[in-house]
């Protein structure tokens, strides 16, 4: 399609150039610096044909037709020559792909002609593709590890139960451990499904009351906060955003859950929804000190700052990763800022409803 457009634009350019030359030749003798001249007309007694012909920009139609015919004959060679850089680029682009993510066109940073700009754009595209593939590979490896660990534990527990008869107490303990491992697998799979759904974008967009969604999330976690001796407060102003209610609920619940989980007894969590500031939702919590350069890693799946893995107690390790995907699906941004003395401030910017 691009080659067809290029040839069409080139053909139009050649036709316009030939026509322009004839028009310039017609008006050239009428410019102020040319002496006026008279060409007698013998075509008609009244000179009607002469007067009509001298008003036309192109007076010699046969010559004009011959020039267009010559241009049409030369055009394929001209198009072949003009499109030669594109043809030379084809085998290079053919080598780009998952099997060769490190290959680059490398046209050089100097020069602003179209082909070099195209080459630099292709290299930038390959950089993004390579980063995406690397992220997917790392994500798949981490997900496999997270699933393999509890499955191996379940297999060990089952083999222990089959090796010898168990007392009722041992059977109850074994069943409880199997249920706990199974529950963690369910949370992990559910998190992966939500993450995939958020990455696919929104199926529908409707106005949603973010302050009510936040109030429901705070109420749902009130018992957990009380049991952990954490003060959970909310400062909610009316704020309407456009999106999917289920995903927005998951966003707020994940942020509140993480703020409670990575905290300490006697700490606090504050949830705020503002109607006037750019940040639609802010969740602050006390907790361990986080270095500013390590904050970005918090939104990566299955990672934590203390080690390569998250703490497996009670979570799937996808909370903030899911939150980031949900915010992106709603055309927003999410940032985390360390709080002096320990803890984090997570801010979510969401666009206002249109209209």
């Amino acid at each position: 399609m691009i080659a067809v457009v290029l040839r069409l634009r080139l053909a139009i350019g050649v036709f316009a150039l030939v026509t322009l030359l004839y028009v310039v030749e017609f008006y050239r003798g009428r410019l102020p610096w040319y002496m006026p001249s008279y060409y007698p007309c013998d075509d008609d007694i009244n000179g009607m044909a002469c007067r009509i012909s001298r008003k036309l920009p192109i007076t010699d139609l046969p010559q004009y037709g011959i020039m267009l015919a010559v241009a049409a004959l030369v055009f394929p060679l001209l198009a072949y020559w003009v499109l030669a850089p594109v043809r030379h680029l084809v085998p290079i682009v053919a080598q780009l792909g998952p099997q060769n993510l490190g290959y680059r066109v490398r046209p050089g940073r100097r020069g602003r002609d179209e082909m070099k700009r195209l080459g630099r754009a292709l290299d930038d595209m390959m950089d993004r593709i390579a980063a995406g593939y690397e992220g997917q590979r790392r994500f798949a490896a981490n997900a496999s590890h997270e699933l393999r660990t509890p499955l191996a534990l379940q297999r060990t527990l089952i083999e222990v139960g089959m090796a010898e008869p168990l007392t009722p107490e041992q059977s109850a303990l074994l069943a409880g451990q199997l249920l706990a491992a199974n529950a963690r697998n369910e949370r992990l799979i559910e998190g992966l499904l939500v993450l995939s759904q958020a990455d696919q974008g929104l199926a529908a967009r409707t106005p949603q009351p973010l302050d009510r969604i936040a109030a429901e999330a705070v109420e749902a976690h009130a018992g957990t906060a009380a049991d952990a001796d954490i003060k959970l407060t909310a400062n909610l102003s009316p704020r309407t955003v456009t999106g999917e209610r289920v995903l927005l609920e998951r966003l707020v619940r994940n942020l509140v859950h993480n703020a409670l989980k990575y905290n300490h007894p006697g700490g606090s969590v504050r949830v705020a929804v503002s109607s006037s500031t750019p940040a639609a939702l802010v969740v602050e919590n006390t907790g361990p000190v986080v270095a500013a350069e390590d904050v970005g890693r918090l939104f990566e799946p299955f990672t934590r700052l203390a080690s390569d893995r998250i703490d497996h107690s009670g979570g799937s390790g996808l909370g903030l990763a899911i939150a980031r995907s949900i915010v992106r699906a709603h055309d927003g941004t999410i940032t985390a800022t360390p709080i002096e003395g320990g803890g984090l401030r997570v801010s979510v910017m969401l666009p206002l409803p249109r209209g």
Side-chain angles (χ1 to χ4, degrees), residues 6-204:
L6 288 176
R7 286 185 172 86
L8 179 60
R9 290 168 66 93
L10 184 58
I12 294 174
V14 171
F15 174 81
L17 178 61
V18 173
T19 305
L20 179 63
L21 291 176
Y22 273 85
V23 173
V24 170
E25 177 63 23
F26 176 78
Y27 285 105
R28 183 175 62 88
R30 301 189 177 189
L31 296 177
W33 53 81
Y34 279 94
M35 293 296 294
S37 59
Y38 171 73
Y39 298 95
C41 179
D42 299 328
D43 295 339
D44 189 83
I45 297 177
N46 297 321
M48 183 62 69
C50 181
R51 287 196 296 270
I52 294 177
S53 62
R54 294 190 63 184
K55 291 181 179 179
L56 297 176
I58 300 175
T59 57
D60 196 342
L61 292 179
Q63 185 182 12
Y64 179 64
I66 293 174
M67 289 296 297
L68 288 181
V70 172
L73 293 175
V74 177
F75 173 75
L77 297 177
L78 182 62
Y80 183 87
W81 176 73
V82 171
L83 297 177
V86 178
R87 288 195 306 276
H88 296 160
L89 196 62
V90 170
I92 298 177
V93 176
Q95 300 183 50
L96 305 179
Q99 74 283 356
N100 194 6
L101 292 176
Y103 191 85
R104 297 294 183 271
V105 179
R106 304 192 189 283
R109 291 295 172 183
R110 294 184 178 181
R112 300 182 60 85
D113 60 273
E114 287 74 6
M115 296 308 301
K116 288 190 176 182
R117 292 170 62 185
L118 176 60
R120 288 193 289 266
L122 288 174
D123 285 351
D124 293 340
M125 178 190 69
M126 285 305 301
D127 290 339
R128 294 191 296 270
I129 292 177
Y133 268 95
E134 177 61 23
Q136 291 293 332
R137 185 198 63 78
R138 187 169 59 250
F139 178 82
N142 289 335
S144 299
H145 179 89
E146 298 296 329
L147 285 169
R148 182 174 57 189
T149 301
L151 289 176
L153 175 61
Q154 287 178 330
R155 179 175 181 175
T156 301
L157 293 174
I158 294 173
E159 290 175 348
V160 170
M162 296 176 61
E164 59 184 20
L166 301 178
T167 63
E169 292 79 8
Q170 291 174 332
S171 297
L173 178 61
L174 179 63
Q177 292 176 335
L178 286 173
L179 285 175
N182 185 72
R184 185 186 179 281
N185 285 340
E186 289 180 349
R187 290 194 299 269
L188 178 58
I189 293 173
E190 180 188 2
L192 291 173
L193 291 175
V194 174
L195 185 61
S196 175
Q197 179 185 359
D199 288 339
Q200 292 175 3
L202 303 182

Side-chain angles (χ1 to χ4, degrees), residues 210 235-241 272-282 348-350 352:
L210 184 60
N235 183 13
L236 310 176
S237 301
R239 179 78 177 243
T240 300
V241 297
V273 174
S274 175
S275 58
S276 57
T277 61
L281 173 68
V282 176
V348 176
M349 274 70 73
L350 295 173
L352 294 172

